[in-house]
Amino acid sequence: MLGLYRLMAKEHSFSIGLPDNIVYCTEFLNTLERKLENDWSDLQAHTVCLFCEQQAETMEKMYTHMEETHEFDLHKLKTDLMSYICRELH
C-alpha cells in the first residue's frame, strides 16, 4: 500500500499525507479507482465530486457542493494537513 502512495506522489504529484493517518484508506482508493475506470468522455470540462456523481462547471462550484452536501471542506483539509506536516518537521 505504501508503494502506491509513493507512486501517486512521485509520478502524479498526488499526495494525501501520510498513509498511516488515513482512516478510510480502502474506501478512498476504491472510490478513486471507480471514478478512474468510468468513461468520462461525456463530461467535457466539468469536474466530478469525490463523493457522488455531481458535476460542476468550475472547481469553486465543486468546492461549494462538497462543503454544503458532504460537509467536506477541501481548503480546510489542505490547511490542516500543511499545519500537521509543519509541526512534525519542526
Side-chain angles (χ1 to χ4, degrees), residues 3 5-8 18 20 31 35-36 44 51 55 59-61 66 70-72 74 78-79 88:
Y5 289 106
R6 288 185 179 142
L7 172 72
M8 290 169 62
L18 299 173
D20 293 340
T31 299
K35 289 185 180 282
L36 290 172
Q44 299 169 4
F51 304 99
Q55 301 175 25
M59 285 304 299
E60 285 307 314
K61 288 181 181 179
M66 289 193 299
H70 305 289
E71 298 179 8
F72 178 77
L74 184 61
K78 288 168 64 176
T79 302
E88 292 300 312

Side-chain angles (χ1 to χ4, degrees), residues 17 21 28 33 46 55 61 63 69 77 80:
N21 296 336
F28 175 72
E33 182 178 33
H46 292 101
Q55 301 175 25
K61 288 181 181 179
Y63 294 145
T69 305
L77 176 64
D80 291 348

Side-chain angles (χ1 to χ4, degrees), residues 40-71:
W40 289 7
S41 59
D42 61 332
L43 297 180
Q44 299 169 4
H46 292 101
T47 57
V48 179
C49 178
L50 292 171
F51 304 99
C52 68
E53 300 303 318
Q54 177 72 29
Q55 301 175 25
E57 295 174 2
T58 66
M59 285 304 299
E60 285 307 314
K61 288 181 181 179
M62 184 53 62
Y63 294 145
T64 301
H65 161 77
M66 289 193 299
E67 188 171 355
E68 291 175 355
T69 305
H70 305 289
E71 298 179 8

Side-chain angles (χ1 to χ4, degrees), residues 4-31:
L4 176 60
Y5 289 106
R6 288 185 179 142
L7 172 72
M8 290 169 62
K10 182 179 177 184
E11 297 294 324
H12 305 288
S13 299
F14 182 82
S15 179
I16 53 174
L18 299 173
D20 293 340
N21 296 336
I22 300 172
V23 178
Y24 298 105
C25 177
T26 303
E27 291 84 352
F28 175 72
L29 290 175
N30 288 340
T31 299

